[in-house]
Amino acid sequence: MKKVVGALLLGVTIVSAFIAYSMYTNHSAKQTAAIEQKQAAKKAETTTEKKKKPVLKVEDLTYQLKDSRTGQVMKEFKPVHYKDKNVYDQEIKQLASKLAKGIDTPMQNIKMDANGSLTGGSKQIILKEAELVKNLQNLNTKQLDVKVPIYETAPNVTAASAQGIADVSLASYSTRFRPSDTGRNRNVQLSAEAINNVVLGPGDSFSYNQTVGERTAERGYQPAPEIINKQLVMGIGGGICQTSSTLFNAIDGAGLQVTARSHHSKHVGYVPVGRDATVSWGGPDFKFTNNKDYPVIIKAYANVNTGVLTVDIRTSQRSI
């Protein structure tokens, strides 16, 4: 009897264990299926979001070109040809050039008045075109502000550094003209007055066209012969190239750095061959920089009675 009861109990235990195992297995399977279902739903949701979210491209965005000095927006720019390198590079170079024309301002040099005081002068403003082009070539989708690199340089002269600036001559050069050529002589005289007493500090640049200004009848310039395409023709301001050429020889003798100079198309008689510096409003300019570590002053004298033009580059005794 005991054996029968034991067998029955064992059978019941086995059946119970099987039932429990079956229930556990079914429950685990359901849990696993639920987890997998949730994971699949999440993956599908993520995939859908990725499909819905657009991929940002440089050429689809609008960038703000900002003045590096003030942070002010100068222009909005949409790089629609960004992927076409040749077309895009040409486009941004033209853009940089156009912006520079509205920004670039040559330095107005300081002058010394009759009382020895410094007057006038204004800073040079330059937009670095190559730097802007580089900035526009390296656009990205995270930074929509583009720096427009603009640099300012003020004349490097102070009252203290200009003390005694006319004491010593570094170099002087003279040329001759005919006193009878009244119109031409007046042009030489006016241009000499324009460059007289200009003070250049260390590193300061000089532009003849900028300093003398446009040669017009309203400003007193007279018709006189000038060389154009190897021919002598009448033009307002003829003769001012004698002043620029005399200035060149003086600053060259003083060791200042010439940065722009052009020759006439025909030899001129007032300086040796190759020692001229032709200028034209809107055309060739004569430019140089004071590469000394001290300021210099330009002294120019046109004596219409004797027909002598002299340009003298001077500085203070303590500077040399």
Side-chain angles (χ1 to χ4, degrees):
M1 185 67 179
K2 288 181 179 181
K3 290 182 179 181
V4 172
V5 171
L8 289 172
L9 288 172
L10 179 60
V12 170
T13 301
I14 292 171
V15 171
S16 298
F18 176 77
I19 293 171
Y21 175 75
S22 298
M23 292 175 64
Y24 172 77
T25 303
N26 290 337
H27 178 71
S28 297
K30 288 180 180 179
Q31 281 188 324
T32 301
I35 291 171
E36 289 177 349
Q37 188 176 4
K38 285 182 179 180
Q39 290 176 339
K42 189 174 182 180
K43 185 176 180 181
E45 185 179 344
T46 302
T47 303
T48 302
E49 286 180 358
K50 285 183 178 179
K51 288 181 179 179
K52 288 181 179 179
K53 188 176 180 180
V55 177
L56 288 177
K57 296 179 181 179
V58 166
E59 55 268 33
D60 296 329
L61 302 176
T62 300
Y63 293 80
Q64 292 188 327
L65 276 56
K66 293 187 175 182
D67 189 323
S68 62
R69 302 165 299 174
T70 64
Q72 182 178 358
V73 177
M74 298 176 61
K75 182 179 179 61
E76 289 191 339
F77 175 66
K78 196 173 181 66
V80 293
H81 301 112
Y82 189 75
K83 290 296 184 182
D84 190 333
K85 188 178 186 308
N86 292 333
V87 173
Y88 183 69
D89 282 356
Q90 187 65 26
E91 179 184 13
I92 59 178
K93 285 176 183 177
Q94 290 176 355
L95 172 62
S97 177
K98 184 177 180 180
L99 288 176
K101 286 179 181 177
I103 293 291
D104 289 357
T105 306
M107 180 180 291
Q108 290 282 357
N109 300 118
I110 288 176
K111 295 190 88 172
M112 182 171 282
D113 64 20
N115 299 317
S117 299
L118 299 179
T119 63
S122 63
K123 56 194 170 186
Q124 178 191 55
I125 305 174
I126 294 292
L127 188 158
K128 294 292 183 69
E129 295 180 40
E131 192 174 336
L132 174 56
V133 167
K134 184 177 180 181
N135 292 344
L136 291 170
Q137 286 172 334
N138 296 307
L139 298 178
N140 61 66
T141 58
K142 296 180 180 179
Q143 176 58 261
L144 299 183
D145 291 345
V146 180
K147 182 177 74 172
V148 179
I150 301 174
Y151 299 91
E152 299 182 354
T153 306
N156 188 23
V157 184
T158 64
S161 67
Q163 286 293 320
I165 196 171
D167 290 350
V168 181
S169 176
L170 293 175
S172 179
Y173 197 86
S174 296
T175 56
R176 304 193 67 87
F177 53 88
R178 288 196 301 268
S180 58
D181 290 342
T182 55
R184 187 178 189 281
N185 295 352
R186 180 56 178 159
N187 298 336
V188 171
Q189 187 179 35
L190 285 174
S191 54
E193 288 173 357
I195 67 173
N196 186 43
N197 286 325
V198 167
V199 179
L200 301 174
D204 284 355
S205 57
F206 176 94
S207 160
Y208 187 85
N209 280 339
Q210 179 67 30
T211 303
V212 174
E214 188 173 3
R215 283 68 81 176
T216 64
E218 290 74 17
R219 298 184 64 229
Y221 284 91
Q222 305 293 311
E226 57 184 4
I227 299 173
I228 299 178
N229 295 327
K230 299 183 179 181
Q231 301 294 323
L232 275 176
V233 298
M234 293 297 289
I236 298 294
I240 62 162
C241 291
Q242 180 162 350
T243 307
S244 58
S245 297
T246 307
L247 174 62
F248 158 66
N249 283 276
I251 70 102
D252 189 50
L256 303 186
Q257 181 183 6
V258 175
T259 55
R261 179 171 73 103
S262 300
H263 297 296
H264 288 81
S265 58
K266 181 179 180 180
H267 174 56
V268 294
Y270 45 77
V271 291
V273 175
R275 300 297 297 174
D276 59 320
T278 186
V279 292
S280 174
W281 186 255
D285 196 2
F286 172 52
K287 299 179 181 180
F288 62 91
T289 298
N290 177 16
N291 55 348
K292 308 298 184 182
D293 57 4
Y294 49 82
V296 299
I297 188 169
I298 299 170
K299 292 288 186 179
Y301 319 89
N303 190 323
V304 294
N305 295 317
T306 61
V308 177
L309 169 65
T310 299
V311 176
D312 193 7
I313 309 301
R314 305 183 75 85
T315 191
S316 66
Q317 179 70 51
R318 68 180 186 277
S319 296
I320 57 176

